[in-house]
Amino acid sequence: MRFDRSIKIAPSILSADFANFGQEIQAIEAQGADWVHIDVMDGHFVPNLTFGPPAVKAFRPHVKTVMDVHLMIAPVDPYIQAYADAGADVLTAHVEAGPHTHRTLQAIRAAGMKAGVALNPGTSAEAVEHLLDLTDLVCVMTVNPGFGGQKFIDMTAKIRRLRELIGDRPVHIEIDGGVDPTTAPLVAAAGADVLVAGSAVFKGGSVSNSAVYGDNIRAVRAAAESAVN
Ligand code: DX5
Ligand code: ZN
């Protein structure tokens, strides 16, 4: 994974057909997805349940780009090796998931993955200030985590502050929640480069009508790029 700040679209398979993940992943990659975003929920840190390590391992052979695994679980540390073995490229933990995020990020890197740290809407940018040298990606949640299809919460001031704190470190800013062609320009202008989009990518399409995914991905990308170029 080479670092750059170009706009990357990361469809969340939370909005895919749950009976058909292999083909859904192949379809979004064929239609221009840069990364594949996988939302792991534990029914404890967030009020929903999704994918354990065996499911993520089953997705792995279908992902030719970057497998971006977003852990919405607490605790995190007992599961880091399992998600490494499942083949995650980026593993992101929430700063709110426990008192020792510093240790968690060290452990994620030691297991051979890129280390991400996510911030709930109520958490300030400064919560990760002293973690940035251990971090490859900061995920700014623009919804309260747990479900796809929620309304975007404006976090542009936080994104700008993070850009300042990050400086010239090779750290991605990822935005997760309510990203669509209307909101993408706001977050891109503020300094985000990885845009997660679930409902905005999958809406209206299917594996047998996957050109719609391509149209949806291009619409988000064009809107974001228009704000930075
Ligand atoms: C929310 C998840 C998101 C979600 C995004 O808890 O982390 O990745 O799937 O879905 P949309 O784009 O529909 O808001
Ligand atoms: Zn996510």
Side-chain angles (χ1 to χ4, degrees):
M1 268 179 78
R2 200 174 44 80
F3 180 84
D4 72 54
R5 289 193 205 286
S6 63
I7 297 294
K8 290 163 281 292
I9 308 299
S12 164
I13 62 166
L14 195 59
S15 296
D17 174 1
F18 269 44
N20 205 3
F21 282 118
Q23 287 187 49
E24 289 278 44
I25 290 167
Q26 290 169 23
I28 54 173
E29 289 196 339
Q31 294 296 327
D34 299 288
W35 293 12
V36 175
H37 185 83
I38 298 173
D39 287 305
V40 173
M41 305 185 184
D42 68 351
H44 163 76
F45 180 72
V46 290
N48 197 1
L49 277 168
T50 58
F51 315 118
V56 175
K57 190 172 192 170
F59 304 153
R60 177 71 263 186
H62 301 284
V63 178
K64 307 298 183 205
T65 58
V66 171
M67 192 158 80
D68 175 33
V69 178
H70 176 194
L71 299 181
M72 287 159 274
I73 68 173
V76 172
D77 295 10
Y79 301 101
I80 290 172
Q81 191 57 50
Y83 284 99
D85 294 342
D89 295 304
V90 182
L91 193 67
T92 297
H94 269 260
V95 73
E96 305 87 0
H100 299 296
T101 310
H102 190 282
R103 174 186 291 148
T104 298
L105 294 171
Q106 286 179 319
I108 292 172
R109 281 188 170 176
M113 298 172 284
K114 299 287 185 193
V117 60
L119 299 171
N120 281 334
T123 304
S124 62
E126 281 73 14
V128 298
E129 183 175 2
H130 301 287
L131 301 171
L132 291 172
D133 289 327
L134 292 167
T135 301
D136 301 292
L137 173 149
V138 180
C139 174
V140 177
M141 295 304 304
T142 40
V143 296
N144 284 296
F147 304 95
Q150 303 183 80
K151 190 176 167 347
F152 177 83
I153 304 168
D154 189 349
M155 292 281 134
T156 46
K158 189 195 292 188
I159 299 164
R160 286 203 176 81
R161 179 69 184 129
L162 272 170
R163 273 306 299 130
E164 289 173 8
L165 292 171
I166 288 169
D168 56 14
R169 294 178 181 87
V171 177
H172 298 289
I173 298 181
E174 177 178 75
I175 307 303
D176 192 1
V179 173
D180 63 20
T182 316
T183 56
L186 306 174
V187 299
D193 63 305
V194 183
L195 307 188
V196 175
S199 36
V201 166
F202 285 93
K203 75 167 181 346
S206 65
V207 293
S208 54
N209 187 18
S210 63
V212 173
Y213 297 161
D215 292 342
N216 291 344
I217 289 168
R218 279 188 293 278
V220 176
R221 191 192 305 281
E225 288 179 345
S226 73
V228 285
N229 293 333

